[in-house]
Amino acid sequence: MRLEAITWERLGDTLAERLLDLKPADGGSWPKVAIDGAPAARPGELAALVSASLRTRGRSSLTVGTEGFLRPASLRFEYGRRDVEAYYSGWFDTGALWREVFGPLEPDGTGRVLPDLWDPVTDRATRSPYVQLPPGGVLLMHGPLLLHHWFPFDLTVHVSLSKGALRRRTPESEQWTLPAFERYDSETDPAASADVVVRADDPRHPAWSG
C-alpha cells in the first residue's frame, strides 16, 4: 500500500471534503463514517478534526465514541479484568449502538441519536440527552475494533499502528489488550478492508492512503 505524508489538519480537511459528496448506501439521509483505531492511535482526535472541518463547510455532524457504550463493569469483568476474549467481543454494547445510534439513522428513522449511554468511571448511565441530527448530517463513530461488527458504515477510516508503535504507545496498564488487536488484524485485516488507511506510528507525522 502506497502512503503519502500529510498533516493531521490537512487530513481532517480532506476527509471532510470527501464526506460532502458521500451518499448513504441505504438511500437514507445520514452518511455513517467509522474512524477505527486502537486507543493508542487516538481515533477520536481525528474524528474531532473532521467534525470541525465539516462545521466550517456548513455540514452538521455528530461524533460518537464507542467508549460511551461500554457494558457495565459486572458484564465486562465477568471473567476477570484482563480477559482478552471479553475485551474483543463483549466490552462494547453493540445492541445499544444499533438501537440508539444506527436505528434512528435508517432511511425511515427519526435522526434522534443518543451520543453516549454508560460512564465507565462511575459505572452508571450517563443520562445524556438525545441529539437531533438533521438530514444530511454525518455520523462520525470512533473507537477500537469497529470493523468486525458489521455496522452499516458508508466510509471506513482505519488509523493504523505497527505492532511496535502500538506496544510503545499503549500504557502499561492496558498492555494486556494487545492480543485482541493482533487477533483483529488477523481476522478482520482493517488495513486492507478500510476505505482509507492512516498510518500514525509517529503521531507528529501521519501518512495516509489517499
Side-chain angles (χ1 to χ4, degrees), residues 132-155:
Q132 187 69 45
L133 188 62
V138 180
L139 171 69
L140 299 168
M141 181 173 288
H142 63 86
L145 312 172
L146 279 179
L147 306 186
H148 78 133
H149 293 299
W150 299 102
F151 289 139
F153 294 118
D154 300 298
L155 183 77

Side-chain angles (χ1 to χ4, degrees), residues 68-113:
F69 285 84
L70 286 171
R71 295 181 186 277
S74 60
L75 298 177
R76 298 199 311 277
F77 303 144
E78 182 178 3
Y79 301 104
R81 289 181 173 269
R82 297 190 173 191
D83 186 88
V84 175
E85 174 62 33
Y87 179 77
Y88 186 75
S89 59
W91 267 40
F92 299 97
D93 193 343
T94 56
L97 285 167
W98 279 104
R99 182 179 66 252
E100 303 290 359
V101 180
F102 292 107
L105 301 182
E106 292 179 350
D108 59 350
T110 63
R112 189 169 175 265
V113 175

Side-chain angles (χ1 to χ4, degrees), residues 46-197:
L46 178 55
L49 286 172
V50 175
S51 179
S53 190
L54 282 170
R55 185 166 55 251
T56 65
R57 289 162 171 76
R59 177 65 67 86
S60 298
S61 65
L62 176 63
T63 303
V64 173
T66 56
E67 73 273 7
F69 285 84
L70 286 171
R71 295 181 186 277
S74 60
L75 298 177
R76 298 199 311 277
F77 303 144
E78 182 178 3
Y79 301 104
R81 289 181 173 269
R82 297 190 173 191
D83 186 88
V84 175
E85 174 62 33
Y87 179 77
Y88 186 75
S89 59
W91 267 40
F92 299 97
D93 193 343
T94 56
L97 285 167
W98 279 104
R99 182 179 66 252
E100 303 290 359
V101 180
F102 292 107
L105 301 182
E106 292 179 350
D108 59 350
T110 63
R112 189 169 175 265
V113 175
L114 189 66
D116 54 60
L117 178 66
W118 201 258
D119 185 335
V121 176
T122 63
D123 199 37
R124 293 182 179 180
T126 58
R127 302 187 184 280
S128 295
Y130 284 86
V131 175
Q132 187 69 45
L133 188 62
V138 180
L139 171 69
L140 299 168
M141 181 173 288
H142 63 86
L145 312 172
L146 279 179
L147 306 186
H148 78 133
H149 293 299
W150 299 102
F151 289 139
F153 294 118
D154 300 298
L155 183 77
T156 54
V157 179
H158 175 62
V159 186
S160 172
L161 295 175
S162 67
K163 287 184 179 181
L166 178 60
R167 184 170 296 278
R168 289 192 304 272
R169 292 173 57 185
T170 299
E172 183 65 32
S173 61
E174 299 174 13
Q175 291 273 318
W176 66 272
T177 64
L178 297 181
F181 292 104
E182 291 181 10
R183 178 179 171 186
Y184 184 53
D185 287 344
S186 174
E187 294 184 354
T188 304
D189 196 2
S193 59
D195 299 307
V196 176
V197 175

Side-chain angles (χ1 to χ4, degrees), residues 24-43:
D26 61 11
S29 301
W30 299 279
K32 295 167 279 292
V33 177
I35 302 183
D36 172 66
R42 301 176 182 174

